[in-house]
Amino acid sequence: MTWVSWMLGSPVPFALALAVDLTLLATAAVAALVWWDGRRAVSPSSAGRRAVRHAAVTSGGAAALVVAGVLVPPLFFALGIVSLGARGTATVPLVALVGALAVHAVGELTWPRPRHRQREARLVARSTADVVPAATRRLAWTWVAGIAVVAASFGLLSDGPRSISRVVTPYEAYTVAPFPGWLWTVPIVAAAVVAVVASEVVLRLVVSRPAVEDVDEEWDMWLRRRVARRVERATQLVLGLTLGGLVALGGLSLRWLGLGLGDGVRTGPGLSPGHVLAGNVLLAVACGVVLVALVALVWPARDPAPRAAGARVAEEAAA
């Protein structure tokens, strides 16, 4: 029983209390992110400060959705308190990612407008490549391609919607579940494609939104890169973890199939070294995928804001 149940003094369901705890923690994390993000950014004007604050609040809300989508399904599955079902467990992280991208889209569409009566517009031709490294975008699409290939392979290997079998005798087969068959893979592929397309749409919004007033072009582009990098980091992280989880589940199922230990009541068919080896290889691949996704999450580590134009002019005059 969590501390929420204790404070209320009533038998609150554990799942509900845990959800409240996670919501409070996510809210505290978002508030800390907004405060820290505003402290570390160099804002050359009041308009720049409003823009940084707007970007921080948007990113905080999107990050809370991503964290909840990644942590809640495995946590509930491990505790056995809520059954999300095969499709729910597989697609909740991707659905949360789409929701986070929607938050980013709303943030871009509601970007602070210029407040001066006399407005100046800088006509600059920008592309998505100006705000996001090509390698980062390719990585997100690589994860989607990997999900599609793995989904098709597991779907062909499966002997049911969520199971896999091996022949023991001419009249008997040994079956293991769960296995990521078509019941898991079809919704995962569909959600992954929607997520990566949505990320491209949000990046286009970042590129085409109005420039921040009272700042130079270099600072404005830095803020665009900052927002776009957060969008791509969240996208590739969820897609990478989804691919890693899919491969890991397939590897574990093949290991169980190869070990053939039975179900505790009946004796299993015995060891199948080929299935065990295949399962170990898939588990190693899953670990590599997750490691790459985590490394890409923090790369590049820092992108410091450029100095204000006035400060540069003063330094050059003093020199």
Short mmCIF file of all heavy atoms in Angstrom, two decimals, residues 85-91 94 143-163 178-194 242-243 245-250:
data_model
loop_
_atom_site.label_atom_id
_atom_site.label_comp_id
_atom_site.label_asym_id
_atom_site.label_seq_id
_atom_site.Cartn_x
_atom_site.Cartn_y
_atom_site.Cartn_z
N GLY A 85 -3.38 -6.21 -21.34
CA GLY A 85 -3.56 -7.01 -22.53
C GLY A 85 -2.36 -6.92 -23.44
O GLY A 85 -1.47 -6.07 -23.28
N ALA A 86 -2.30 -7.80 -24.42
CA ALA A 86 -1.15 -7.84 -25.33
C ALA A 86 -1.02 -6.55 -26.12
O ALA A 86 0.06 -5.95 -26.18
CB ALA A 86 -1.29 -9.04 -26.27
N ARG A 87 -2.11 -6.12 -26.74
CA ARG A 87 -2.03 -4.90 -27.54
C ARG A 87 -1.74 -3.67 -26.68
O ARG A 87 -0.96 -2.80 -27.07
CB ARG A 87 -3.35 -4.70 -28.28
CG ARG A 87 -3.63 -5.72 -29.37
CD ARG A 87 -4.88 -5.33 -30.16
NE ARG A 87 -5.20 -6.30 -31.19
CZ ARG A 87 -5.99 -7.34 -31.02
NH1 ARG A 87 -6.55 -7.55 -29.83
NH2 ARG A 87 -6.25 -8.18 -32.01
N GLY A 88 -2.36 -3.61 -25.51
CA GLY A 88 -2.13 -2.45 -24.64
C GLY A 88 -0.69 -2.37 -24.17
O GLY A 88 -0.06 -1.31 -24.24
N THR A 89 -0.15 -3.50 -23.70
CA THR A 89 1.23 -3.51 -23.22
C THR A 89 2.20 -3.13 -24.32
O THR A 89 3.18 -2.44 -24.10
CB THR A 89 1.58 -4.89 -22.66
OG1 THR A 89 0.65 -5.23 -21.63
CG2 THR A 89 2.98 -4.92 -22.09
N ALA A 90 1.93 -3.58 -25.54
CA ALA A 90 2.85 -3.35 -26.64
C ALA A 90 2.79 -1.94 -27.19
O ALA A 90 3.80 -1.40 -27.65
CB ALA A 90 2.57 -4.35 -27.76
N THR A 91 1.61 -1.32 -27.15
CA THR A 91 1.42 -0.05 -27.85
C THR A 91 1.31 1.17 -26.94
O THR A 91 1.37 2.29 -27.45
CB THR A 91 0.16 -0.10 -28.73
OG1 THR A 91 -0.98 -0.41 -27.90
CG2 THR A 91 0.29 -1.17 -29.81
N LEU A 94 4.12 3.73 -27.44
CA LEU A 94 4.02 4.44 -28.71
C LEU A 94 2.83 5.42 -28.71
O LEU A 94 2.93 6.51 -29.26
CB LEU A 94 3.88 3.44 -29.85
CG LEU A 94 5.13 2.58 -30.11
CD1 LEU A 94 4.81 1.45 -31.08
CD2 LEU A 94 6.27 3.43 -30.64
N TRP A 143 14.99 2.58 -36.56
CA TRP A 143 14.23 1.83 -35.56
C TRP A 143 12.91 1.34 -36.14
O TRP A 143 12.49 0.19 -35.89
CB TRP A 143 13.94 2.70 -34.33
CG TRP A 143 15.11 3.09 -33.49
CD1 TRP A 143 15.25 4.27 -32.80
CD2 TRP A 143 16.28 2.32 -33.16
NE1 TRP A 143 16.43 4.29 -32.10
CE2 TRP A 143 17.09 3.11 -32.30
CE3 TRP A 143 16.74 1.07 -33.54
CZ2 TRP A 143 18.31 2.67 -31.81
CZ3 TRP A 143 17.98 0.63 -33.05
CH2 TRP A 143 18.73 1.42 -32.21
N VAL A 144 12.22 2.20 -36.90
CA VAL A 144 10.93 1.79 -37.49
C VAL A 144 11.14 0.64 -38.48
O VAL A 144 10.37 -0.34 -38.48
CB VAL A 144 10.26 2.99 -38.19
CG1 VAL A 144 9.00 2.54 -38.93
CG2 VAL A 144 9.90 4.05 -37.17
N ALA A 145 12.18 0.75 -39.31
CA ALA A 145 12.47 -0.34 -40.24
C ALA A 145 12.79 -1.63 -39.49
O ALA A 145 12.35 -2.72 -39.88
CB ALA A 145 13.63 0.05 -41.16
N GLY A 146 13.57 -1.51 -38.41
CA GLY A 146 13.88 -2.69 -37.61
C GLY A 146 12.64 -3.31 -36.98
O GLY A 146 12.49 -4.54 -36.95
N ILE A 147 11.73 -2.46 -36.49
CA ILE A 147 10.48 -2.97 -35.91
C ILE A 147 9.68 -3.72 -36.97
O ILE A 147 9.12 -4.80 -36.70
CB ILE A 147 9.67 -1.81 -35.33
CG1 ILE A 147 10.34 -1.26 -34.07
CG2 ILE A 147 8.24 -2.24 -35.00
CD1 ILE A 147 9.70 0.00 -33.52
N ALA A 148 9.62 -3.18 -38.20
CA ALA A 148 8.85 -3.83 -39.26
C ALA A 148 9.46 -5.19 -39.62
O ALA A 148 8.74 -6.19 -39.78
CB ALA A 148 8.79 -2.92 -40.49
N VAL A 149 10.80 -5.24 -39.73
CA VAL A 149 11.46 -6.50 -40.09
C VAL A 149 11.28 -7.54 -38.98
O VAL A 149 10.94 -8.71 -39.24
CB VAL A 149 12.96 -6.26 -40.37
CG1 VAL A 149 13.71 -7.58 -40.52
CG2 VAL A 149 13.13 -5.41 -41.61
N VAL A 150 11.51 -7.13 -37.74
CA VAL A 150 11.37 -8.05 -36.61
C VAL A 150 9.92 -8.51 -36.47
O VAL A 150 9.64 -9.69 -36.21
CB VAL A 150 11.86 -7.39 -35.31
CG1 VAL A 150 11.49 -8.22 -34.10
CG2 VAL A 150 13.37 -7.19 -35.37
N ALA A 151 8.97 -7.57 -36.66
CA ALA A 151 7.55 -7.94 -36.55
C ALA A 151 7.17 -8.97 -37.60
O ALA A 151 6.48 -9.96 -37.29
CB ALA A 151 6.68 -6.69 -36.69
N ALA A 152 7.62 -8.77 -38.83
CA ALA A 152 7.30 -9.74 -39.88
C ALA A 152 7.96 -11.09 -39.60
O ALA A 152 7.33 -12.14 -39.79
CB ALA A 152 7.76 -9.20 -41.23
N SER A 153 9.20 -11.07 -39.13
CA SER A 153 9.90 -12.34 -38.84
C SER A 153 9.22 -13.09 -37.71
O SER A 153 8.97 -14.31 -37.82
CB SER A 153 11.36 -12.03 -38.47
OG SER A 153 12.01 -11.35 -39.52
N PHE A 154 8.91 -12.41 -36.62
CA PHE A 154 8.25 -13.07 -35.49
C PHE A 154 6.85 -13.54 -35.87
O PHE A 154 6.38 -14.59 -35.41
CB PHE A 154 8.19 -12.15 -34.28
CG PHE A 154 9.51 -11.97 -33.59
CD1 PHE A 154 9.68 -10.98 -32.64
CD2 PHE A 154 10.59 -12.80 -33.87
CE1 PHE A 154 10.90 -10.81 -31.98
CE2 PHE A 154 11.80 -12.65 -33.22
CZ PHE A 154 11.95 -11.65 -32.27
N GLY A 155 6.16 -12.74 -36.67
CA GLY A 155 4.82 -13.15 -37.09
C GLY A 155 4.85 -14.43 -37.90
O GLY A 155 3.98 -15.30 -37.76
N LEU A 156 5.87 -14.60 -38.76
CA LEU A 156 6.00 -15.82 -39.55
C LEU A 156 6.44 -17.00 -38.69
O LEU A 156 6.07 -18.14 -38.98
CB LEU A 156 6.99 -15.60 -40.69
CG LEU A 156 6.56 -14.58 -41.76
CD1 LEU A 156 7.68 -14.34 -42.75
CD2 LEU A 156 5.30 -15.05 -42.48
N LEU A 157 7.22 -16.74 -37.65
CA LEU A 157 7.68 -17.82 -36.77
C LEU A 157 6.59 -18.30 -35.82
O LEU A 157 6.60 -19.45 -35.38
CB LEU A 157 8.89 -17.36 -35.95
CG LEU A 157 10.23 -17.24 -36.67
CD1 LEU A 157 11.27 -16.65 -35.73
CD2 LEU A 157 10.69 -18.61 -37.17
N SER A 158 5.66 -17.42 -35.50
CA SER A 158 4.66 -17.76 -34.48
C SER A 158 3.71 -18.83 -34.99
O SER A 158 3.48 -18.98 -36.20
CB SER A 158 3.87 -16.51 -34.09
OG SER A 158 3.15 -16.02 -35.20
N ASP A 159 3.16 -19.58 -34.05
CA ASP A 159 2.17 -20.61 -34.37
C ASP A 159 0.78 -20.22 -33.89
O ASP A 159 -0.13 -21.05 -33.86
CB ASP A 159 2.58 -21.94 -33.72
CG ASP A 159 3.84 -22.50 -34.35
OD1 ASP A 159 3.77 -22.99 -35.48
OD2 ASP A 159 4.90 -22.41 -33.71
N GLY A 160 0.63 -19.00 -33.51
CA GLY A 160 -0.65 -18.49 -33.05
C GLY A 160 -0.55 -16.99 -32.90
O GLY A 160 0.50 -16.39 -33.18
N PRO A 161 -1.60 -16.33 -32.45
CA PRO A 161 -1.56 -14.87 -32.29
C PRO A 161 -0.47 -14.42 -31.33
O PRO A 161 0.10 -13.34 -31.50
CB PRO A 161 -2.94 -14.53 -31.75
CG PRO A 161 -3.80 -15.69 -32.14
CD PRO A 161 -2.91 -16.88 -32.11
N ARG A 162 -0.14 -15.23 -30.30
CA ARG A 162 0.87 -14.84 -29.32
C ARG A 162 1.59 -16.06 -28.72
O ARG A 162 1.87 -16.11 -27.54
CB ARG A 162 0.23 -14.01 -28.19
CG ARG A 162 -0.93 -14.68 -27.50
CD ARG A 162 -1.66 -13.70 -26.61
NE ARG A 162 -0.82 -13.15 -25.58
CZ ARG A 162 -0.64 -13.70 -24.38
NH1 ARG A 162 -1.25 -14.85 -24.08
NH2 ARG A 162 0.13 -13.13 -23.48
N SER A 163 1.91 -17.04 -29.55
CA SER A 163 2.59 -18.24 -29.08
C SER A 163 3.52 -18.79 -30.16
O SER A 163 3.39 -18.44 -31.35
CB SER A 163 1.59 -19.33 -28.67
OG SER A 163 0.81 -19.72 -29.79
N PRO A 178 3.94 -15.93 -23.54
CA PRO A 178 3.64 -15.14 -24.74
C PRO A 178 4.83 -15.05 -25.69
O PRO A 178 5.99 -15.10 -25.26
CB PRO A 178 3.33 -13.76 -24.15
CG PRO A 178 4.18 -13.68 -22.92
CD PRO A 178 4.21 -15.08 -22.36
N PHE A 179 4.51 -14.92 -26.94
CA PHE A 179 5.50 -14.68 -27.99
C PHE A 179 4.95 -13.57 -28.87
O PHE A 179 3.74 -13.53 -29.14
CB PHE A 179 5.72 -15.96 -28.82
CG PHE A 179 6.71 -15.80 -29.93
CD1 PHE A 179 8.08 -15.81 -29.66
CD2 PHE A 179 6.29 -15.62 -31.24
CE1 PHE A 179 9.00 -15.66 -30.69
CE2 PHE A 179 7.21 -15.46 -32.27
CZ PHE A 179 8.56 -15.49 -31.98
N PRO A 180 5.81 -12.64 -29.32
CA PRO A 180 5.30 -11.51 -30.13
C PRO A 180 4.86 -11.93 -31.52
O PRO A 180 5.55 -11.71 -32.52
CB PRO A 180 6.49 -10.54 -30.17
CG PRO A 180 7.69 -11.40 -29.96
CD PRO A 180 7.25 -12.50 -29.04
N GLY A 181 3.69 -12.54 -31.60
CA GLY A 181 3.12 -12.90 -32.88
C GLY A 181 2.33 -11.74 -33.47
O GLY A 181 2.50 -10.58 -33.09
N TRP A 182 1.43 -12.06 -34.40
CA TRP A 182 0.72 -11.00 -35.10
C TRP A 182 -0.14 -10.16 -34.17
O TRP A 182 -0.38 -8.98 -34.44
CB TRP A 182 -0.16 -11.61 -36.20
CG TRP A 182 0.62 -12.30 -37.28
CD1 TRP A 182 0.59 -13.61 -37.60
CD2 TRP A 182 1.55 -11.69 -38.19
NE1 TRP A 182 1.45 -13.89 -38.65
CE2 TRP A 182 2.05 -12.70 -39.03
CE3 TRP A 182 2.02 -10.39 -38.39
CZ2 TRP A 182 2.98 -12.47 -40.04
CZ3 TRP A 182 2.95 -10.15 -39.38
CH2 TRP A 182 3.42 -11.18 -40.20
N LEU A 183 -0.61 -10.74 -33.07
CA LEU A 183 -1.42 -9.98 -32.13
C LEU A 183 -0.65 -8.80 -31.55
O LEU A 183 -1.22 -7.74 -31.27
CB LEU A 183 -1.90 -10.90 -31.00
CG LEU A 183 -2.82 -10.26 -29.96
CD1 LEU A 183 -4.15 -9.86 -30.58
CD2 LEU A 183 -3.06 -11.22 -28.80
N TRP A 184 0.68 -8.97 -31.37
CA TRP A 184 1.52 -7.90 -30.84
C TRP A 184 2.07 -7.02 -31.97
O TRP A 184 2.08 -5.79 -31.86
CB TRP A 184 2.71 -8.49 -30.08
CG TRP A 184 2.37 -9.24 -28.85
CD1 TRP A 184 1.69 -10.42 -28.74
CD2 TRP A 184 2.71 -8.86 -27.51
NE1 TRP A 184 1.59 -10.81 -27.44
CE2 TRP A 184 2.21 -9.87 -26.66
CE3 TRP A 184 3.39 -7.78 -26.95
CZ2 TRP A 184 2.37 -9.83 -25.28
CZ3 TRP A 184 3.55 -7.72 -25.58
CH2 TRP A 184 3.05 -8.74 -24.76
N THR A 185 2.55 -7.65 -33.03
CA THR A 185 3.39 -6.93 -33.99
C THR A 185 2.61 -6.00 -34.90
O THR A 185 3.11 -4.92 -35.26
CB THR A 185 4.18 -7.92 -34.84
OG1 THR A 185 3.27 -8.84 -35.48
CG2 THR A 185 5.14 -8.72 -33.97
N VAL A 186 1.39 -6.38 -35.30
CA VAL A 186 0.63 -5.52 -36.22
C VAL A 186 0.34 -4.15 -35.59
O VAL A 186 0.62 -3.11 -36.20
CB VAL A 186 -0.66 -6.22 -36.67
CG1 VAL A 186 -1.57 -5.25 -37.43
CG2 VAL A 186 -0.33 -7.42 -37.56
N PRO A 187 -0.21 -4.08 -34.37
CA PRO A 187 -0.44 -2.75 -33.78
C PRO A 187 0.85 -1.99 -33.49
O PRO A 187 0.88 -0.77 -33.56
CB PRO A 187 -1.21 -3.05 -32.49
CG PRO A 187 -0.97 -4.48 -32.20
CD PRO A 187 -0.77 -5.15 -33.51
N ILE A 188 1.94 -2.72 -33.18
CA ILE A 188 3.21 -2.05 -32.92
C ILE A 188 3.71 -1.36 -34.18
O ILE A 188 4.14 -0.19 -34.15
CB ILE A 188 4.26 -3.05 -32.40
CG1 ILE A 188 3.96 -3.42 -30.95
CG2 ILE A 188 5.66 -2.48 -32.50
CD1 ILE A 188 4.92 -4.42 -30.37
N VAL A 189 3.68 -2.06 -35.31
CA VAL A 189 4.16 -1.46 -36.57
C VAL A 189 3.32 -0.26 -36.95
O VAL A 189 3.84 0.80 -37.33
CB VAL A 189 4.15 -2.52 -37.69
CG1 VAL A 189 4.47 -1.87 -39.03
CG2 VAL A 189 5.16 -3.62 -37.40
N ALA A 190 2.00 -0.40 -36.82
CA ALA A 190 1.11 0.71 -37.17
C ALA A 190 1.39 1.93 -36.29
O ALA A 190 1.50 3.07 -36.78
CB ALA A 190 -0.34 0.28 -37.05
N ALA A 191 1.52 1.72 -34.98
CA ALA A 191 1.77 2.83 -34.06
C ALA A 191 3.14 3.45 -34.29
O ALA A 191 3.31 4.67 -34.18
CB ALA A 191 1.64 2.35 -32.61
N ALA A 192 4.14 2.63 -34.62
CA ALA A 192 5.49 3.15 -34.86
C ALA A 192 5.52 4.04 -36.10
O ALA A 192 6.16 5.10 -36.11
CB ALA A 192 6.47 2.00 -35.02
N VAL A 193 4.83 3.63 -37.15
CA VAL A 193 4.78 4.45 -38.38
C VAL A 193 4.08 5.77 -38.10
O VAL A 193 4.54 6.85 -38.52
CB VAL A 193 4.07 3.68 -39.50
CG1 VAL A 193 3.84 4.59 -40.70
CG2 VAL A 193 4.91 2.47 -39.92
N VAL A 194 2.97 5.72 -37.37
CA VAL A 194 2.26 6.97 -37.02
C VAL A 194 3.16 7.88 -36.20
O VAL A 194 3.21 9.10 -36.43
CB VAL A 194 0.97 6.64 -36.24
CG1 VAL A 194 0.35 7.90 -35.66
CG2 VAL A 194 -0.02 5.92 -37.14
N THR A 242 11.07 0.19 -27.85
CA THR A 242 10.06 -0.73 -28.37
C THR A 242 10.70 -1.86 -29.16
O THR A 242 10.35 -3.04 -28.98
CB THR A 242 9.06 0.03 -29.26
OG1 THR A 242 8.40 1.05 -28.49
CG2 THR A 242 8.02 -0.91 -29.84
N LEU A 243 11.65 -1.51 -30.03
CA LEU A 243 12.35 -2.55 -30.79
C LEU A 243 13.12 -3.47 -29.86
O LEU A 243 13.07 -4.70 -30.00
CB LEU A 243 13.30 -1.90 -31.80
CG LEU A 243 14.17 -2.86 -32.61
CD1 LEU A 243 13.32 -3.85 -33.40
CD2 LEU A 243 15.09 -2.08 -33.54
N GLY A 245 12.54 -4.11 -26.67
CA GLY A 245 11.61 -4.94 -25.91
C GLY A 245 11.01 -6.05 -26.75
O GLY A 245 10.84 -7.19 -26.28
N LEU A 246 10.71 -5.75 -28.01
CA LEU A 246 10.16 -6.75 -28.91
C LEU A 246 11.16 -7.88 -29.14
O LEU A 246 10.81 -9.07 -29.06
CB LEU A 246 9.78 -6.09 -30.23
CG LEU A 246 8.87 -6.86 -31.19
CD1 LEU A 246 7.51 -7.09 -30.56
CD2 LEU A 246 8.73 -6.08 -32.49
N VAL A 247 12.41 -7.51 -29.41
CA VAL A 247 13.45 -8.52 -29.64
C VAL A 247 13.71 -9.31 -28.36
O VAL A 247 13.90 -10.54 -28.39
CB VAL A 247 14.73 -7.84 -30.15
CG1 VAL A 247 15.88 -8.86 -30.25
CG2 VAL A 247 14.49 -7.21 -31.51
N ALA A 248 13.72 -8.63 -27.21
CA ALA A 248 13.98 -9.32 -25.94
C ALA A 248 12.88 -10.33 -25.63
O ALA A 248 13.17 -11.45 -25.18
CB ALA A 248 14.11 -8.30 -24.81
N LEU A 249 11.63 -9.95 -25.85
CA LEU A 249 10.54 -10.90 -25.60
C LEU A 249 10.64 -12.11 -26.51
O LEU A 249 10.43 -13.25 -26.07
CB LEU A 249 9.19 -10.20 -25.79
CG LEU A 249 7.96 -11.08 -25.58
CD1 LEU A 249 7.94 -11.64 -24.16
CD2 LEU A 249 6.68 -10.28 -25.86
N GLY A 250 10.98 -11.86 -27.78
CA GLY A 250 11.17 -12.98 -28.69
C GLY A 250 12.32 -13.87 -28.25
O GLY A 250 12.23 -15.10 -28.31
#
